[in-house]
Amino acid sequence: MTDADKIKLTILPTGTMHADLVWLLIDPARMASRDNRERLRDWVELPTHVVYIEHPSGKKLLWDAGVPRDWDTRWAAPGFNEVFPVDTVTEDMWLDSRLKQLDLEPGDIDYLMLSHLHLDHAANAQLWANTGTTIVVDEEEKKGAFSFDGYNLGAHIKSDYDGLELTTINEDTEILPGITLLRTPGHTWGTLSMKVDLADSGTMIFASDSLYRRESYGPPATAAGIVYDTVSWFASVEKIRSVAEQTGATVVFGHDDEQIKNLKTGVGNYYT
Ligand SMILES: [Zn+2]
């Protein structure tokens, strides 16, 4: 097998948010207690990333769409600019910069796969308006994301995705040979994970917010603050665990500041 026959996968950090860890992890050991009512909160780094994939068929795919340059204004109405500030990001990390580094226009991407439509994953999806790119989301995510009136419902900001043609899936779906979207709902109505089978690096599962961080994975899994449906969130974690065990996969968490340091990232540092 030559390199031309292999899937090439690049993890691209797109900027780091900070937030109180309680949004992501309900951990009794970190809570205020009788003896420590004034316990300081954990203000943690939450890196974000997208994944760019070149498939041997010639197709190009992108997993997620990163955080927006104008987060401070776009997130102001619901107050998310204060609780999830994107305050650690360099010019080269914004998604439009990443596309330039790859020498790509948005329309060069054949499939934009969105794990879910939260403001830190779908924010730049409007770059793909009328480009001919197939934008894939879970059917339940699309339903939920249009189920409300007004600017936002929690971390769903309708203008991030309103007006886009969204192609939906309602079962685990192999998009191209070796690239499968797994339904892992719970964090939102229809959060997806992406499984990629690589020739040299083995299987990688990109869990997005179905698994924010290693602390969430366990075992046992630890529940998160922002979860739409806790029962299905736990079931989805165990689904990921079972696929990972069957395939020996590396599970890549959605916002893990330790793990991302130990992964190959950036243009040119790809996995095959
Ligand atoms: Zn999310």
Side-chain angles (χ1 to χ4, degrees):
M1 193 185 240
T2 68
D3 269 7
D5 303 319
K6 295 175 184 171
I7 294 173
K8 255 171 75 176
L9 180 151
T10 308
I11 300 170
L12 297 167
T14 42
T16 297
M17 306 181 286
H18 279 87
D20 190 317
L21 187 61
V22 172
W23 289 102
L24 305 192
L25 194 73
I26 297 176
D27 176 1
R30 297 170 190 269
M31 301 292 180
S33 62
R34 184 162 60 176
D35 296 334
N36 189 0
R37 295 185 193 191
E38 307 304 319
R39 191 183 186 293
L40 284 175
R41 296 295 186 172
D42 291 294
W43 186 248
V44 297
E45 280 187 21
L46 302 177
T48 68
H49 64 262
V50 302
V51 181
Y52 170 61
I53 302 173
E54 292 170 275
H55 192 267
S57 63
K59 301 283 189 198
K60 297 177 171 64
L61 305 91
L62 192 68
W63 169 249
D64 275 344
V67 286
R69 281 181 180 270
D70 60 347
W71 60 272
D72 208 358
T73 49
R74 206 194 290 195
W75 296 1
F80 287 116
N81 61 328
E82 300 297 336
V83 290
F84 295 112
V86 190
D87 51 4
T88 311
V89 50
T90 49
E91 175 58 29
D92 59 317
M93 293 169 101
W94 299 112
L95 187 67
D96 58 299
S97 300
R98 292 303 194 190
L99 291 172
K100 279 196 198 107
Q101 291 155 26
L102 293 163
D103 205 17
L104 294 175
E105 297 290 331
D108 296 333
I109 301 288
D110 296 286
Y111 294 94
L112 172 65
M113 303 170 288
L114 296 173
S115 64
H116 60 306
L117 295 171
H118 268 168
L119 76 186
D120 55 329
H121 292 262
N124 295 298
Q126 295 291 356
L127 288 174
W128 279 271
N130 307 311
T131 55
T133 298
T134 302
I135 307 176
V136 185
V137 298
D138 188 276
E139 180 178 84
E140 293 301 320
E141 185 71 6
K142 181 177 175 181
K143 245 188 247 170
F146 288 101
S147 67
F148 62 93
D149 295 321
Y151 187 72
N152 73 297
L153 176 64
H156 284 85
I157 294 180
K158 203 185 264 179
S159 52
D160 284 349
Y161 47 80
D162 201 11
L164 296 172
E165 193 177 321
L166 301 175
T167 300
T168 57
I169 60 169
N170 57 16
E171 58 187 341
D172 292 350
T173 301
E174 189 168 51
I175 299 293
L176 289 171
I179 302 172
T180 302
L181 295 178
L182 305 173
R183 300 189 86 195
T184 51
H187 170 68
T188 61
W189 305 285
T191 306
L192 298 170
S193 298
M194 174 178 70
K195 176 168 90 69
V196 184
D197 300 313
L198 296 161
D200 301 315
S201 308
T203 298
M204 296 180 92
I205 299 174
F206 293 87
S208 181
D209 290 354
S210 299
L211 274 169
Y212 309 96
R213 297 159 70 87
R214 185 172 302 282
E215 302 101 297
S216 324
Y217 195 27
T222 301
I226 316 173
V227 169
Y228 165 71
D229 173 350
T230 305
V231 174
S232 35
W233 183 84
F234 276 106
S236 291
V237 171
E238 294 315 316
K239 175 175 177 172
I240 291 168
R241 198 188 312 283
S242 125
V243 175
E245 281 172 4
Q246 283 161 26
T247 57
T250 303
V251 177
V252 179
F253 308 112
H255 297 289
D256 192 310
D257 59 320
E258 282 304 317
Q259 183 184 39
I260 196 82
K261 291 177 200 155
N262 296 311
L263 294 169
K264 281 192 280 189
T265 61
V267 173
N269 295 321
Y270 51 82
Y271 290 89
T272 56

